[in-house]
Amino acid sequence: MSTHTNMNTSDIVLMADPRVAAVPVRECGERLLDVREDSSLLVDAREQAGPEAAFALLREGVVRRLERADTLLPDGLRLLFVEGYRPPSLQRAYFEEYVEQLRALHPHWPAEEIHAAASRYVSPPDIAPHSAGAAVDLTLADAEGRELDLGTRMNADPEESEGACYTAAGNISPEARAHREVLGAALTEVGLVNYPTEWWHWSYGDRYWALLSGAECALYGPREADRA
């Protein structure tokens, strides 16, 4: 069943909210780092697609905050980086694909409702934190690098997970809930904000972060990766 009808999202600011798009961007020009080469973070292999894969890129300021968050975790736990930067063209393809899925599921929904529902799971391309190098999809691992249970697989959508992908979802185990709280405490401490429909998605310096944190502007805007 779709969480659009069975879960109250009135207290969640979605990416499609006009207030997010209204946040000004004052691009600081900070470089994108490759977390596999320029950080101490544990990097998951699921997105690996060769040495030039863009997924491993992230703004320097975000990388340094993640490294600090990693040190705040309880002994024996690590952050597990899965995906960072996403080229604008790929973000647009993801968004349009999900829009089409929702249209097929809900042919009577108006276009605005489809757009808002799609933004629960995939950010609209013009404001996507991933395309600014400001967002990271990540989870927790043990000392041996084994992924912990956080209630759903990463990138589970609201339909398939019956809303368990929402950070505050109640339909997960106590162990998964505890893991989400540990992850959230460390990332919040270093200034990142969560997108509440995706427990794994955290960002810093983008428009969504600025709106939720009360910053006057975003530090990072969408950009193309300048890799050879």
Side-chain angles (χ1 to χ4, degrees):
M1 182 182 296
S2 170
T3 58
H4 189 82
T5 56
N6 71 3
M7 187 167 188
N8 179 17
T9 60
S10 59
D11 57 344
I12 292 177
V13 178
L14 295 176
M15 288 288 180
D17 192 303
R19 292 175 293 175
V20 179
V23 173
V25 177
R26 293 178 193 161
E27 173 60 57
C28 68
E30 195 173 275
R31 63 181 177 150
L32 289 164
L33 298 184
D34 188 322
V35 298
R36 297 168 299 180
E37 302 169 359
D38 301 313
S39 83
S40 60
L41 295 171
L42 183 63
V43 180
D44 186 86
R46 80 189 72 186
E47 296 288 342
Q48 298 272 8
E52 299 304 316
F55 83 94
L57 301 179
L58 207 58
R59 297 283 190 149
E60 184 173 12
V62 185
V63 172
R64 300 307 172 219
R65 282 170 173 79
L66 292 177
E67 289 179 322
R68 191 144 46 93
D70 207 28
T71 69
L72 300 176
L73 294 172
D75 289 345
L77 295 185
R78 296 286 309 277
L79 294 179
L80 181 61
F81 174 101
V82 177
E83 184 179 11
Y85 175 73
R86 194 177 293 157
S89 59
L90 181 59
Q91 183 69 31
R92 184 170 302 280
Y94 283 167
F95 187 78
E96 291 175 353
E97 180 182 5
Y98 191 43
V99 163
E100 289 307 313
Q101 290 178 21
L102 290 175
R103 281 187 182 134
L105 286 170
H106 308 286
H108 302 299
W109 283 6
E112 318 85 73
E113 194 168 7
I114 290 286
H115 189 272
S119 75
R120 296 169 306 166
Y121 178 58
V122 183
S123 300
D126 52 335
I127 59 168
H130 279 289
S131 294
V136 58
D137 292 342
L138 78 176
T139 186
L140 289 176
D142 65 17
E144 283 71 48
R146 293 183 296 248
E147 189 173 344
L148 301 185
D149 175 20
L150 274 81
T152 73
R153 71 175 184 90
M154 186 172 290
N155 293 324
D157 64 41
E159 284 72 31
E160 75 172 74
S161 70
E162 296 185 343
C165 60
Y166 284 65
T167 307
N171 56 337
I172 60 174
S173 70
E175 180 184 39
R177 165 59 47 208
H179 290 158
R180 289 189 188 188
E181 289 173 355
V182 167
L183 179 68
L187 295 172
T188 300
E189 178 68 22
V190 299
L192 275 71
V193 301
N194 172 242
Y195 191 43
T197 66
E198 301 177 347
W199 59 261
W200 57 85
H201 177 107
W202 291 79
S203 68
Y204 174 86
D206 59 292
R207 282 170 158 163
Y208 194 82
W209 163 85
L211 180 64
L212 265 62
S213 66
E216 292 183 0
C217 62
L219 308 176
Y220 313 131
R223 59 172 292 176
E224 296 294 340
D226 48 0
R227 300 196 65 166

